[in-house]
Amino acid sequence: MSTTSESTADRADAPATAAADDHQDVRPPSGAFSPSQLVRNLPDAVRKMSPRYLFRNPVMFIVEVGAALTTVLAVALPFLGGDGTTIGFTWLITVWLWLTVLFATLAEAVAEGRGRAQAASLRATRTTTSALRVRGYDRTGDPAVERAETESVASAELKQGDVVVVVAGEVIPGDGDIVAGIASVDESAITGESAPVVREAGGDRSAVTGGTRVLSDRIVVQITSKPGETFVDRMIALVEGAVRQKTPNEIALSILLSVLTIIFVVVVLALGPVAGLQGATPGVTVLVALLVCLIPTTIGALLSAIGIAGMDRLVQRNVLATSGRAVEAAGDVTTLLLDKTGTITYGNRRAVAFLALPGISERRLTEAAALSSIADPTPEGASVVELAAERDFVPTERPGRTIVPFTAQTRMSGIDEADGSALRKGAAASVLAWVQEHGPVAPAVAEQLEERVVGISEQGGTPLAVAERTADGTAHLLGVIHLKDVVKTGLVERFAALRAMGIRTVMVTGDNPVTAAAIAREAGVDDVLAEATPEEKLALIRREQEGGHLVAMTGDGTNDAPALAQADVGVAMNTGTSAAKEAGNMVDLDSDPTKLIDIVTIGKQLLITRGALTTFSIANDVAKYFAIIPAMFVGVFPGLQALNIMQLHSSSSAILSAVIFNALVIVALIPLALRGVRYRPSSASSLLTRNLLVYGLGGVIAPFIGIKLIDLLISLIPGF
C-alpha cells in the first residue's frame, strides 16, 4: 500500500495551510490580469489574425472575411460615386470589424502569454551541468559504485538508464530514481517551495527531478528520461500550451457555434432582398454588420482563452495537467478517492491525550511523558512534547541525565537520571515488561492499563505506556498516551461541500477496518476501502466507472500507477515514482494530496465559466437584434419603428453602435475569461438559476445600456 506521508514529513506546515484555506470560493491570486498584458501581447495577437490560423475558429473566420469584404468596398466606394457619409460609415464599420477580430486573438494571446511567462521561469532552471557517470553499474548496491570507474560527462550526453553519482552542492543532471543513498534536496527551482525535502532509495520518495540541487549527503541516481524529454521539458511544453488539445465539450461547443454561424449566414443573405438592400454597396456593409452581430462572436472569441486559462489556474496552484481534457474531466468528477495518510490525516500520529492510571495525577504523567520523549526524534515523539507544552510543561536539560534513544528492539525511549531514577515510554507490552523487571505489578494496575490500551485501540488510535523507576529501584506504571491520526482542519466542511455538489468521497487505506472506520467517521467521508491492495483500488475505480461515474484519485507509488492510469483524473505526486507520474494525467509539484479537492473545484470553475459566457453571448445578441433589425427594415416597413425601443439616433448610428459594442464587450470579458467565474458549491439547479439571472439577464441588459451610450456619442458626429 502506497502512502503519501512524504508531503507531511517534508513540509509539515503545507497540509495545515492547505486545509485552512477557504475552498468554498476559488479565486486565482490577485494580479492575474492587468491592462498592460493587452499591450504586451498585442504583437502576438496581430500574428494570430492570419487566415490560416483563424480558419480553426469558424466564427471569427467569418468575421475576418466580412472585415476583408467591407475593406474592399470602402476602398472602392470613392470610385463608385459614393458620398462622404456612405464612405465614412463603411470605413467605421470596417475598422470595428477588424478590431473585433483583433480583440478575439488578443484574448487567446494574453492567455498564452501568461503561460509563456511561467515557462520562461521554468526554462531558466534548465542548466547544462557536468555529471559523474558510473561505468558498468551492476545494480548490486552502493558499494559497487565505490569500486566502479566513473567519468565526467555533460548532462546533455546522458542517456536513459545511465547511472550517476551526485554529492552535496551538485545539481542533479536529469530526471531519475535514486537507487542508493539518501539526501536532502532543494526543489525550490521546480516547486517554489524553499524548504528542502528528503529523497532516498526505495519506496515512494525515490524520484528526483533534473535541475534540483543536492544539499547534503550523496545519492546514486539512475536516469529515467531521454535527452530533451525531462520533466522540466514536459512542464515547459504543457505550460506554453503547445500540446493543448480541445476537450470533447469544447469541440461540441465549437460545432454548435459553427452551425449557428452557418444558419445566420443563410438568414442574413435572405434578409437582404427583403430589406431592399440587394445590389447596394452600403447595403452589403449593413448585411455584414448584421451577420457579425448575430453570430455568437463573444463566446467564439473567448472559447480558446477559457480553456487555456483553466490549465493556467492549475499551474498557479503548482499542478500541471497533461491536457485540457483532464481539467475538464475534473469538473465532472462524481467519485473522489483519497488516500488516508497525508491526505485526510496529517500522516503522522499525534498525541491527543494523557490518560493517567488511578492514583497518578495527570500532571505527573504529562511531565514523565514529555521527559521520556526527549530521546524520540519521530514526529510522534515530538507531538508528545508539544502536547505537554500546551499543558504548561516544557522539559529542560539536567546535568548527569542520560538519553535512552528509541530502538526497534526495545520499542521504548526515555531517560536515566544520575540519582538512579528513570523514565520509559513506548509500546505497552515493552513498558510493562520493563516495570516487571524491577518488581511485580499489581493485577489491578495491569488490568487498568489493559483497559486504556484496548479503549484507545478500538478508537483507531495507538497507545503508548509511560512508567518511571524511582531512585530506590522500584518501578511504577503512570498511564497511557493516546496517539491518533489527526484529521486535517477544515476537511469535514470541505467534504460536506463536495457532498452538496454530488461528489461521493471514498477513503482508501491499508489500515485495518476498525481504524479505517474510526477515521472515516471523524473526517466525514462517504465510504471507506480498508486494507486496500493495488488490485482492489483498480477494481473499485472500474466499478465506479461502469456505473457511469467519473473518478479522480491521487497516488505517489509504483503500485498506484494502474489506478492512476485507470482514473479519469489521476493526480501523481511530484515526490512519487516515475511510474506514478507517467501514469497520471496531472502532476502536483507540491505533493500535497489535499489539492485534489482544489483540482475538482477548478475543473468545475472552468465548466461554469464556459457556460456563463456562452449564456451571456447568446443573451446579448437579443439586444443587438433590437438595435439593427428595426434600423434595417424601417425604410421598407415604417411600422417597425415601434421596435426601436432604445430610441437610437438613426439607422446608421444604430448599426455602428451595435458593431462597436460587439467588439468592446470581448475586451471587457477577457479578465473574466482568464480569472474564471466565481464558483460556490451548490446544486445544479442553483447553478443554472444563478447563471441565467446573472449572465443571461445581464447579457440582455448590458447591450441595451452599452449600445445606447455609444449611440449618444455617435450622434454627435456630423452625418449620423
Side-chain angles (χ1 to χ4, degrees):
M1 170 65 186
S2 167
T3 66
T4 51
S5 60
E6 208 285 315
S7 61
T8 305
D10 284 352
R11 305 182 181 99
D13 295 334
T17 303
D21 288 343
D22 179 13
H23 296 279
Q24 303 303 309
D25 194 15
V26 171
R27 280 286 194 186
S30 60
F33 174 82
S34 65
S36 63
Q37 292 177 346
L38 296 177
V39 178
R40 195 162 54 245
N41 293 282
L42 193 58
D44 190 43
V46 173
R47 286 192 294 270
K48 288 179 178 290
M49 292 175 68
S50 166
R52 288 185 299 177
Y53 183 87
L54 275 184
F55 186 76
R56 294 178 295 174
N57 186 338
V59 177
M60 299 316 302
F61 181 72
I62 290 293
V63 177
E64 187 171 49
V65 170
L69 177 59
T70 58
T71 301
V72 173
L73 294 176
V75 172
L77 269 175
F79 304 100
L80 298 176
D83 57 33
T85 301
T86 301
I87 293 173
F89 173 76
T90 304
W91 271 114
L92 284 172
I93 291 292
T94 298
V95 168
W96 281 101
L97 289 180
W98 281 116
L99 286 175
T100 301
V101 179
L102 176 62
F103 293 158
T105 58
L106 186 59
E108 184 173 347
V110 171
E112 292 181 351
R114 297 200 306 175
R116 282 194 298 272
Q118 292 163 334
S121 64
L122 288 172
R123 191 174 283 109
T125 67
R126 295 193 306 184
T127 57
T128 299
T129 60
S130 60
L132 196 62
R133 181 166 61 187
V134 180
R135 293 179 178 175
Y137 182 66
D138 60 6
R139 300 188 62 85
T140 57
D142 201 28
V145 176
E146 300 288 357
R147 299 189 299 270
E149 293 184 11
T150 58
E151 57 182 346
S152 181
V153 298
S155 58
E157 297 179 21
L158 293 174
K159 301 185 298 295
Q160 193 174 29
D162 283 350
V163 174
V164 297
V165 178
V166 189
V167 299
E170 293 183 351
V171 173
I172 297 173
D175 296 354
D177 292 325
I178 300 176
V179 294
I182 180 172
S184 176
V185 180
D186 176 10
E187 295 186 341
S188 58
I190 304 299
T191 67
E193 174 61 54
S194 59
V197 296
V198 176
R199 296 288 174 262
E200 59 184 325
D204 300 333
R205 293 187 289 174
S206 61
V208 289
T209 304
T212 57
R213 185 178 297 274
V214 174
L215 299 180
S216 68
D217 302 294
R218 170 183 178 280
I219 52 176
V220 180
V221 178
Q222 184 167 43
I223 302 299
T224 57
S225 60
K226 298 178 181 178
E229 296 182 8
T230 66
F231 185 58
V232 173
D233 291 320
R234 294 197 302 272
M235 284 196 296
I236 291 172
L238 291 172
V239 171
E240 287 183 325
V243 295
R244 197 189 80 85
Q245 297 178 345
K246 288 186 177 181
T247 64
N249 283 346
E250 196 173 346
I251 292 173
L253 184 55
S254 297
I255 294 174
L256 174 62
L257 297 181
S258 300
V259 171
L260 289 176
T261 299
I262 294 172
I263 291 173
F264 281 120
V265 168
V266 174
V267 170
V268 169
L269 291 176
L271 286 176
V274 176
L277 299 174
Q278 67 275 23
T281 300
V284 174
T285 303
V286 170
L287 288 176
V288 172
L290 173 65
L291 175 62
V292 170
C293 289
L294 293 187
I295 63 178
T297 52
T298 305
I299 186 60
L302 298 173
L303 184 60
S304 180
I306 293 170
I308 295 172
M311 296 181 69
D312 180 65
R313 281 193 290 276
L314 277 181
V315 172
Q316 292 173 16
R317 298 270 184 161
N318 256 9
V319 177
L320 296 177
T322 59
S323 68
R325 182 189 297 266
V327 185
E328 188 174 274
D332 286 328
V333 160
T334 55
T335 302
L336 202 57
L337 269 60
L338 302 111
D339 191 23
K340 184 202 70 160
T341 306
T343 305
I344 294 176
T345 67
Y346 282 99
N348 296 307
R349 295 174 184 262
R350 297 186 174 189
V352 295
F354 297 126
L355 306 178
L357 293 175
I360 305 297
S361 68
E362 184 176 329
R363 179 68 181 183
R364 184 180 176 189
L365 174 60
T366 299
E367 294 179 0
L371 288 169
S372 60
S373 296
I374 295 177
D376 186 354
T378 65
E380 290 83 359
S383 73
V384 173
V385 177
E386 291 171 3
L387 182 60
E390 294 175 7
R391 309 288 173 84
D392 300 322
F393 177 76
V394 178
T396 58
E397 294 294 333
R398 179 182 297 178
R401 175 178 292 166
T402 301
I403 301 296
V404 180
F406 175 87
T407 67
Q409 290 73 30
T410 64
R411 300 178 66 195
M412 295 185 298
S413 65
I415 58 172
D416 290 338
E417 300 288 5
D419 62 0
S421 61
L423 294 171
R424 293 291 187 272
K425 176 215 70 181
S430 300
V431 172
L432 180 60
W434 181 78
V435 172
Q436 290 174 334
E437 291 176 2
H438 301 84
V441 176
V445 174
E447 184 177 340
Q448 291 161 355
L449 176 68
E450 181 67 17
E451 288 178 358
R452 284 160 176 74
V453 168
V454 172
I456 293 172
S457 299
E458 289 178 346
Q459 297 177 47
T462 300
L464 295 178
V466 181
E468 71 170 348
R469 185 186 67 206
T470 59
D472 61 7
T474 60
H476 311 278
L477 289 167
L478 300 179
V480 179
I481 304 170
H482 184 177
L483 296 179
K484 64 175 293 188
D485 275 340
V486 179
V487 174
K488 293 181 178 178
T489 306
L491 281 189
V492 175
E493 293 76 15
R494 295 172 71 184
F495 287 146
L498 289 170
R499 193 174 299 110
M501 293 155 50
I503 297 177
R504 174 171 165 263
T505 53
V506 181
M507 185 182 80
V508 180
T509 177
D511 280 342
N512 63 76
V514 174
T515 300
I519 296 296
R521 284 194 301 270
E522 185 176 353
V525 296
D526 299 313
D527 204 350
V528 60
L529 178 64
E531 297 179 342
T533 64
E535 293 78 11
E536 289 172 334
K537 285 188 285 187
L538 187 60
L540 174 61
I541 292 174
R542 286 174 174 167
R543 286 198 302 271
E544 293 290 327
Q545 291 171 332
E546 289 170 359
H549 300 287
L550 264 68
V551 181
M553 76 157 290
T554 182
D556 58 1
T558 300
N559 61 347
D560 291 324
L564 285 170
Q566 181 68 36
D568 300 284
V569 180
V571 184
M573 301 296 100
N574 190 37
T575 56
T577 62
S578 299
K581 288 191 284 187
E582 291 292 338
N585 49 28
M586 292 187 186
V587 178
D588 178 13
L589 300 182
D590 292 331
S591 299
D592 176 10
T594 61
K595 205 177 291 182
L596 187 60
I597 300 174
D598 297 331
I599 291 170
V600 170
T601 308
I602 289 173
K604 288 187 175 295
Q605 187 184 31
L606 182 147
L607 294 178
I608 66 170
T609 299
R610 186 185 297 155
L613 292 183
T614 301
T615 302
F616 183 91
S617 177
I618 294 174
N620 84 63
D621 286 341
V622 174
K624 288 181 286 188
Y625 298 159
F626 285 93
I628 294 184
I629 298 297
M632 282 183 57
F633 287 91
V634 71
V636 180
F637 306 106
L640 289 178
Q641 181 63 31
L643 293 179
N644 186 17
I645 58 177
M646 287 187 278
Q647 295 298 304
L648 300 178
H649 180 69
S650 66
S651 297
S652 297
S653 69
I655 294 169
L656 183 57
S657 297
V659 171
I660 292 174
F661 176 84
N662 192 65
L664 293 179
V665 74
I666 295 173
V667 179
L669 291 175
I670 288 177
L672 184 61
L674 299 181
R675 186 177 64 243
V677 173
R678 179 172 296 184
Y679 172 68
R680 300 184 184 91
S682 57
S683 63
S685 59
S686 299
L687 286 174
L688 178 61
T689 301
R690 177 171 173 263
N691 196 24
L692 292 176
L693 288 177
V694 176
Y695 297 97
L697 186 59
V700 172
I701 295 175
F704 277 92
I705 299 173
I707 291 174
K708 179 62 178 178
L709 292 176
I710 296 171
D711 177 74
L712 291 174
L713 294 175
I714 292 177
S715 66
L716 301 177
I717 302 175
F720 281 90

